[in-house]
Amino acid sequence: MLKKIKALSIGILLGIVSLSASAHFVVMYTPQTALLRASDVPMHIVFTHVFAGGPTYDMEMPERFYYTYQQGAFSFPEEVDLKPYLEEIEWHDGDRTLKAWRADIPRDVMRSLGDYQIVIEPEPYWEEEEGLYIQQFSKVMVNVGGVGGNWLQSLGLPAEIQALNKPYANWTGGVFRGVVLSEGLPVPFTQVEVEYMNHPPNLDENMFQEEPLIEAPHPSLEAIIISTNEFGEFSFAMPKAGWWGFAALTVGPERELNGEFLSQDAILWVQATDLPE
Ligand SMILES: [Cu+2]
């Protein structure tokens, strides 16, 4: 870890740390996204580098935090504000303490069977070191009871990853597919960064587990870069159970804020589950 930080600071000195070297992700973490029945859903929201488990950034209260839900094909999607459940927490990253969020979404707010697309639209974040604003439109999906719903629906966000597989229903080794969208339109030949949540959160301590789950022999396996095809689609086989973050950077329409570069990114969280023995 220390070695890595040292290498990183040398990289910064030499100016060779590129945006894609190891991207930051808005983490939306809940222990289980495929729920058998309606349950309380605890969620942690932290802005960090997921494979390395840090460094973590302060995160301001999201501009919007909500879910969309749709019962069957013949009804209107319903949007429910989840901001009332947000609570600021202190996140520990080594000896630093950072601002993060926890939401305890009560059972009766996600009571019906089906899919819940949970979305964060954050304020642009000024990233001092990289010298740019970052705004990551982030999604995770929770299913209650195995009944399908609006998992396939694109929400028309400025930057979005539309799922072509249910993000909560993937065996380990299964191929996950998605489409990168900019204001609802596919983005061909754009890079998608895939990172494994190598330091899962310790929810009682408000920190990332110190021990990594895997060691990567090369940086290109820490932040795996793939590309969309001419239709904006990508696919990735997830080799290990747990959480996989997909990030498409700078795909949103806005590129500037206060005279500085603004990166409008799309994040989608996908859970892979081992076959039972
Ligand atoms: Cu970063």
Side-chain angles (χ1 to χ4, degrees):
M1 190 68 210
L2 231 150
K3 232 194 241 163
K4 210 173 264 170
I5 289 168
K6 223 181 194 171
L8 191 70
S9 33
I10 290 168
I12 288 164
L13 283 177
L14 299 175
I16 55 171
V17 172
S18 73
L19 257 183
S20 54
S22 160
H24 27 257
F25 283 69
V26 169
V27 173
M28 301 173 74
Y29 181 82
T30 187
Q32 182 54 260
T33 53
L35 303 175
L36 290 172
R37 58 188 66 83
S39 327
D40 295 340
V41 174
M43 185 164 292
H44 278 70
I45 300 159
V46 191
F47 191 28
T48 195
H49 297 84
V50 274
F51 189 87
T56 299
Y57 302 133
D58 279 317
M59 184 162 172
E60 296 307 317
M61 178 182 270
E63 207 165 280
R64 303 191 64 213
F65 176 46
Y66 57 94
Y67 73 63
T68 69
Y69 174 86
Q70 187 173 6
Q71 197 152 39
F74 304 108
S75 65
F76 294 111
E78 181 190 337
E79 198 173 289
V80 172
D81 183 18
L82 297 174
K83 263 176 104 167
Y85 308 108
L86 274 180
E87 188 194 326
E88 190 181 319
I89 55 171
E90 289 188 338
W91 196 263
H92 306 289
D93 180 6
D95 37 11
R96 296 162 67 234
T97 301
L98 298 129
K99 198 193 283 190
W101 300 86
R102 182 192 165 101
D104 282 293
I105 306 168
R107 176 171 47 184
D108 45 326
V109 171
M110 290 170 54
R111 195 182 38 211
S112 307
L113 300 179
D115 295 327
Y116 294 84
Q117 289 207 38
I118 305 178
V119 184
I120 284 183
E121 302 185 22
E123 301 276 357
Y125 171 84
W126 172 248
E127 219 295 77
E128 192 70 53
E129 251 160 49
E130 294 167 38
L132 79 167
Y133 285 99
I134 300 165
Q135 187 180 29
Q136 298 199 315
F137 297 86
S138 307
K139 297 197 299 187
V140 66
M141 291 188 210
V142 170
N143 176 269
V144 178
V147 173
N150 66 344
W151 66 273
L152 181 57
Q153 190 178 49
S154 107
L155 306 178
L157 301 173
E160 182 175 2
I161 295 177
Q162 180 181 18
L164 295 178
N165 294 75
K166 294 176 178 177
Y168 51 82
N170 296 276
W171 293 123
T172 305
V175 173
F176 183 78
R177 297 173 307 132
V179 190
V180 175
L181 302 173
S182 177
E183 290 187 304
L185 295 176
V187 186
F189 303 113
T190 194
Q191 296 188 49
V192 176
E193 180 164 328
V194 189
E195 283 195 32
Y196 184 58
M197 196 187 280
N198 200 22
H199 299 258
N202 176 335
L203 299 183
D204 299 323
E205 307 280 340
N206 286 346
M207 58 188 283
F208 293 106
Q209 168 189 318
E210 250 164 72
E211 279 304 301
L213 297 177
I214 54 174
E215 296 284 349
H218 191 268
S220 62
L221 290 167
E222 296 177 5
I224 297 171
I225 310 284
I226 57 179
S227 172
T228 61
N229 64 14
E230 69 268 44
F231 306 114
E233 304 161 348
F234 65 87
S235 54
F236 181 80
M238 297 171 290
K240 190 169 169 65
W243 288 92
W244 292 86
F246 293 81
L249 306 184
T250 70
V251 292
E254 304 293 337
R255 290 292 157 84
E256 200 191 315
L257 181 66
N258 304 329
E260 304 286 349
F261 190 79
L262 166 66
S263 182
Q264 286 188 313
D265 310 338
I267 305 284
L268 179 67
W269 285 98
V270 176
Q271 188 173 19
T273 306
D274 278 337
L275 277 171
E277 296 282 297

